[in-house]
Every structure is written in structure tokens, then in C-alpha cells.
Amino acid sequence: MKRFTQGSVHQVIKCKAAIIWETGKPFSIEEVEVPAPRAHEIRVKIVATGICRSDEHVIHGLLSGSEFPIILGHEAAGIVESVGEGVTGVKPGDKVIPLFMPQCGKCVYCRNPNTNMCVNCSIGKSEEPKDRIVTFMCKGKQIHRMSNISTFSEYTILHESAFAKIDAKAPLDRVCLIGCAFSTGYGSAVNTAKVQPGSTCAVFGLGGVGLSVIIGCKVAGAAQIIAVDLNKTKFAKAKELGATDCISPHDYDKPIHEVLTEMTNGGVDYSFECIGRTDSMVGALQSSNFGFGTTVIVGVAPSTDKMAIDPMLMLTGRTLKGAFFGGWKSKDWIPKLVSDSIAKKFSLDELVTHTLPFEKINEGFELLRAGKSIRTILTF
Ligand code: COD
Ligand code: ZN
Ligand code: ZN
């Protein structure tokens, strides 16, 4: 008889997961039930998962479309446990990275070479796909998912469009960062902005995402990379990764875009907003040069906030762009980024400041809130 499925595909798994029961509440570690993968799904054992500012935004209800109770987490790496019918190219034991930006390969966006959006993507939509009524259950309640991947759980279900198989040699406690912060920042520089050798860049916000933009600007050959943050403890790491200058808006009695314009004789060639504030987005645009400056919005602002800009900034030739996940078509590119990291084209080590056991997830979020961490990796 032909076998369609592999692994413990018919069994429900009981495992630990971190649940946010209500807006603003801490995580509670609970036992959850993870169903068997159905057709076109796999079940994955998460090995390492990073803490991102976007998870924190969801806790506080700042990103639209999230419902509670919810299992967060979207920056992870794991090992395939079982494979549902119809999924090809992956088997139990393979290493994978879950994709919060999926790539179905068939939709109008996937077929367009100029975007990495996919019709299956949950951003800006209700979180739970209509055909998956139950994913996680806890205490008789259905638990919602973040971006259809929910990696703050020992096991999770992934649709075949929402994972990338990666090199068996990949260190999962590092390449998990390729699932969000690294790819988002690095791709914003090399794909979305297409930073040119010898150019000038300004990076607003030096979290895991902003520091990854700096790595991208450096790899692209930028001559000057100016890092901007209110928290000066972030400057040492920014310099280590390639920033040539570090400035804090607190040290000046004029707007930061005026400081950047003076420092670069008319404005930077590329600016990146990696904070998620609309005022910084406008500041980044104002810092870019007249004629051909390009600004990339990387951070997600609270869904109620709006940007107001002087249209003259655009009429004089500036370009304002934005992209999720650094513009990478995820399923195609993640395996290549993992290979580049194994080949040491860039290093992920500098982005990891803390590693904690999964049970200490609340401690990990406290480090983020206190501005003490770049990335905390939780391990199971
Ligand atoms: N001026 C200068 N710096 C500031 C300011 C300010 N007014 N306010 C905060 N900062 C600094 C902070 O000190 C901190 O160093 C940095 O900005 C932000 O870093 P983190 O560590 O809080 O955040 P990251 O790097 O994890 O992520 C921030 C984003 C806003 C980029 C992130 O939340 C996001 O939106 N990601 C990209 C979009 C995306 O793809 N989202 C989907 C999954 S994340
Ligand atoms: Zn993220
Ligand atoms: Zn698609």
C-alpha cells in the first residue's frame, strides 16, 4: 500500500507552550495539545526561538488582527516530527525554519518577482486560517496562533507554504534569527534599498533588526553607516558590526534629520527606520538626500498611528519604500541565507546576547523591555 504520511502522524502530542491569555498579561507555561498534521502540513519540534519586539507589540494589542488567548513566537528553527499527506521534499528529522511570511509559489504575489508577499500571509488579516478550526487546545479552549506559526511551543503545525528546509549542519540556536530579525534587516539593505558600494546610510533603531541592517549595509560596501538610537549602550555592538558613527537624538538640541543632513553634506543615500515609530519614519525620510535618497520603512508602527509628510520631499526625488521580511521570497531564500551563514559570509553570534531555557520566557521579555538584550534565544 502506498504510504502518504511519515512520523507519528495520527497522534495528538501534549507538550509545553507559553500562552498569553489576555492583553498585557505575562506568559504562562501550559500543557497544550497539538493535533496531527493534516494534508499539506507538517508538525515540527521547535529547538530554538528568538524574542522579537513584534511579539511584545502583540501582547499589548498594538498589532491588528491578533486574538487572545494566543501562542506567540515567529523567529525559530526546529526539526520535522511528522509529515502530512501531500507534502514533498521533507521528512522527519530534517531541519526547518518556520516562515511568518509564507511562499505558496502559486498566487499572484508569489508569481510576481517584485514582491515577497503571498496570499497565504496573515499580516493584516485574521490570524486563524479558515480551514484550520483547531490548532492548539489548552484547558478545553482553542488557542490562537501568531502569523500561523506560533513558535513559543515545543511542537507546532506548519503549512507547506510556511517552512523552509535548511542545511543539516545549521546550528539551530543561531539560524533561528534568519526566521525574522536577521533576514528582515539584512534584506532591507541588500534587497529593498539595494545599497551601493561607497554610499552613505543611516539606521534608526539598534535592536536585532537595525543591527542586521548594519550588517547588510557593510556587506553591500557602504562607506559611511550612521547608527541612531536613544540607548547608547547599543553603540558598541553597532560599531563592532560596521557602524562608522553612532549618535543619540538626546545629544542635540535640533532634530536628528538636521544633524544627519549636516554630517553627510545634504543627506544620506539610504535611511532605514527600525524602531516602529511614525515620527522616526518621517525623520528617516527627511534625512535622505534631495534627488536620489531612498528610505526604507522596516519597523511596524502601532496600527492606529499615521504618518504625515511634506509631499515636496517626494517631488524632489526621494523614494519611500517598505517591505516585510527584507523583501526575501522566503521559501526560496532562507536555505541560501542559512548556507551563507554557515559559509561565514556574515555572523549571527553578535546578535545573541542571552540564551535562556524556554521556561524563563518572561525573564527574556523583561530583558527586551529594559533595553538590555539584542536577541534572547529560548531553547527547549
Ligand atoms: N529614537 C531612536 N531610537 C529609538 C527610539 C527613538 N525615538 N525609540 C526606541 N529606539 C530604539 C531602542 O532603544 C532600541 O534599541 C531600538 O530602537 C528598537 O529595537 P528593539 O530591540 O526594541 O526591536 P527589534 O529590533 O526586535 O524590532 C523592532 C521592529 C520595530 C523593527 C520590529 O518590531 C518590527 O517591526 N520588525 C520588522 C517588521 C516585520 O517584518 N514584522 C513582522 C515580524 S517581526
Ligand atoms: Zn520579528
Ligand atoms: Zn503565494
Side-chain angles (χ1 to χ4, degrees):
M1 198 177 80
K2 195 169 173 192
R3 256 189 93 195
F4 290 111
T5 55
Q6 291 178 286
S8 63
V9 78
H10 299 298
Q11 290 159 20
V12 170
I13 285 184
K14 288 187 179 174
C15 67
K16 62 189 165 191
I19 297 181
I20 299 282
W21 288 99
E22 284 172 57
T23 317
K25 290 276 159 46
F27 289 92
S28 49
I29 305 286
E30 308 276 6
E31 184 180 83
V32 297
E33 288 175 17
V34 185
R38 301 178 317 171
H40 304 290
E41 292 178 340
I42 62 171
R43 187 164 53 190
V44 171
K45 182 172 196 329
I46 299 295
V47 173
T49 180
I51 293 178
C52 175
R53 176 67 65 175
S54 301
D55 300 307
E56 171 74 352
H57 284 341
V58 177
I59 297 173
H60 298 287
L62 298 175
L63 292 187
S64 59
S66 306
E67 287 179 68
F68 296 84
I70 190 167
I71 299 179
L72 303 176
H74 60 279
E75 180 179 84
I79 294 175
V80 178
E81 181 272 336
S82 56
V83 176
E85 192 181 318
V87 181
T88 53
V90 74
K91 59 181 185 314
D94 285 346
K95 290 182 176 176
V96 293
I97 288 184
L99 308 173
F100 73 82
M101 176 60 74
Q103 185 186 353
C104 77
K106 298 179 200 131
C107 73
V108 63
Y109 308 106
C110 282
R111 284 188 280 111
N112 184 317
N114 300 317
T115 178
N116 67 334
M117 298 301 282
C118 171
V119 76
N120 284 359
C121 139
S122 67
I123 294 165
K125 300 180 190 159
S126 134
E127 291 290 302
E128 203 67 17
K130 300 283 169 284
D131 63 338
R132 166 58 88 179
I133 307 302
V134 175
T135 300
F136 295 100
M137 292 292 291
C138 179
K139 296 176 179 163
K141 290 205 174 80
Q142 185 188 339
I143 313 299
H144 294 279
R145 296 198 290 172
M146 179 178 192
S147 302
N148 298 331
I149 61 175
S150 290
T151 62
F152 292 160
S153 174
E154 213 176 346
Y155 288 86
T156 197
I157 296 283
L158 302 174
H159 186 259
E160 62 186 346
S161 62
F163 70 86
K165 183 180 158 185
I166 58 167
D167 193 317
K169 292 192 295 299
L172 299 184
D173 60 349
R174 289 293 177 272
V175 300
C176 57
L177 298 182
I178 292 177
C180 181
F182 176 77
S183 306
T184 298
Y186 184 76
S188 298
V190 304
N191 279 334
T192 315
K194 296 197 169 46
V195 169
Q196 296 299 304
S199 58
T200 55
C201 303
V203 182
F204 289 65
L206 304 175
V209 175
L211 291 172
S212 301
V213 171
I214 293 179
I215 298 174
C217 294
K218 174 117 191 269
V219 168
Q224 191 177 17
I225 304 170
I226 308 171
V228 183
D229 203 299
L230 294 172
N231 180 349
K232 291 185 181 180
T233 66
K234 307 277 176 133
F235 290 174
K237 184 84 37 140
K239 286 222 161 123
E240 199 185 320
L241 291 171
T244 52
D245 312 80
C246 294
I247 58 174
S248 164
H250 281 158
D251 290 345
Y252 301 91
D253 50 17
K254 56 185 163 194
I256 204 69
H257 73 267
E258 289 181 19
V259 178
L260 286 161
T261 304
E262 282 165 23
M263 283 174 80
T264 53
N265 263 330
V268 294
D269 299 327
Y270 305 97
S271 55
F272 301 86
E273 202 281 349
C274 311
I275 304 166
R277 293 179 59 97
T278 50
D279 56 353
S280 315
M281 293 172 189
V282 176
L285 180 64
Q286 290 169 319
S287 311
S288 74
N289 71 38
F290 173 96
F292 52 85
T294 296
T295 297
V296 180
I297 294 181
V298 186
V300 176
S303 49
T304 46
D305 290 4
K306 302 285 172 272
M307 263 171 87
I309 56 167
D310 176 353
M312 190 55 80
L313 289 164
M314 313 304 295
L315 286 165
T316 45
R318 292 175 183 82
T319 302
L320 179 60
K321 311 174 83 169
F324 274 108
F325 199 57
W328 303 107
K329 281 191 184 283
S330 56
K331 206 159 167 123
D332 291 345
W333 278 96
I334 280 201
K336 293 178 189 151
L337 290 169
V338 168
S339 301
D340 284 351
S341 122
I342 293 172
K344 304 213 179 317
K345 183 170 178 186
F346 49 78
S347 165
L348 299 168
D349 291 344
E350 289 74 16
L351 301 174
V352 179
T353 50
H354 301 78
T355 301
L356 292 175
F358 179 66
E359 288 73 9
K360 294 197 171 169
I361 186 167
N362 284 310
E363 212 174 287
F365 274 79
E366 283 309 323
L367 290 165
L368 175 79
R369 289 170 193 138
K372 290 185 181 155
S373 57
I374 300 297
R375 272 308 194 253
T376 297
I377 308 293
L378 303 170
T379 54
F380 287 88

